[in-house]
Amino acid sequence: LFTESSGGIMGELDDFLHDPMHLARRECYYLYYEITGTGEIKQQIFCRGTTLLIDVLTCLSFWMVYDEDLECRVHLGFRNQADRILQDIEPLLAPASDSRTTIEVSGHSLGGAVGYILAAKLRKRGYRVMRTTAIASPRFCATQGASKKVESLLPRNNLRIENENDFVPFLPPFLHHTGSKLYLVENGTKMLFVSTANPLLPYVD
């Protein structure tokens, strides 16, 4: 849900100055919900990438803060975005105690980093997050230790997809990634897919 902006970039900036946490404009996401013929409840959460001016400011809020759920220090802007989505989406999810339910979380760019944090927080609350996928995600962990801590909270089936020609996954340069990576490398006219740190994904040419 969005409140009406004052209009244009200056309007967005004015909204941000009056509401730094941007609580008046709730986060935008997609939630797909399906009940299969066997009674299984499948839920998929999709976190969008950078779209608005406020998203740029979110990316630039790279101060490291300690998060109680993750028990480590992470990127302030991405953590706050994940918390806003979690606050909005949790009432829409099936109860964590329902053994029939599973959740998958996906995101692109900014949404990739946010999706990883969101997935870790959902698992910490007892939800059965079975898969996490991030495409062109920026870095968000303060240290290698924080990276390992977040990875321990993610499902085993997690994947970060990167292209060697994309600079976003290398930002911010002083932070760290987490999880398994599928790296797309150009070799002449072919694209090579190189899997790292995930035994479920073999090398593919």
Side-chain angles (χ1 to χ4, degrees), residues 33-53:
Y33 188 99
E34 176 187 357
I35 301 179
T36 68
T38 61
E40 180 185 5
I41 301 173
K42 293 184 177 181
Q43 301 166 115
Q44 295 176 316
I45 303 169
F46 303 91
C47 303
R48 64 167 176 78
T50 302
T51 305
L52 306 172
L53 173 64

Side-chain angles (χ1 to χ4, degrees), residues 150-201:
V150 174
E151 186 172 9
S152 71
L153 295 172
L154 294 173
R156 183 167 181 263
N157 192 354
N158 68 81
L159 182 63
R160 189 177 76 252
I161 303 173
E162 298 180 5
N163 186 313
E164 67 169 345
N165 296 319
D166 187 359
F167 66 90
V168 172
F170 298 95
L171 300 175
F174 50 86
L175 299 185
H176 299 267
H177 277 302
T178 190
S180 304
K181 179 173 73 173
L182 184 64
Y183 196 50
L184 281 63
V185 182
E186 288 190 18
N187 181 18
T189 59
K190 299 169 64 177
M191 183 70 77
L192 302 180
F193 300 81
V194 183
S195 172
T196 62
N198 192 336
L200 298 179
L201 292 168

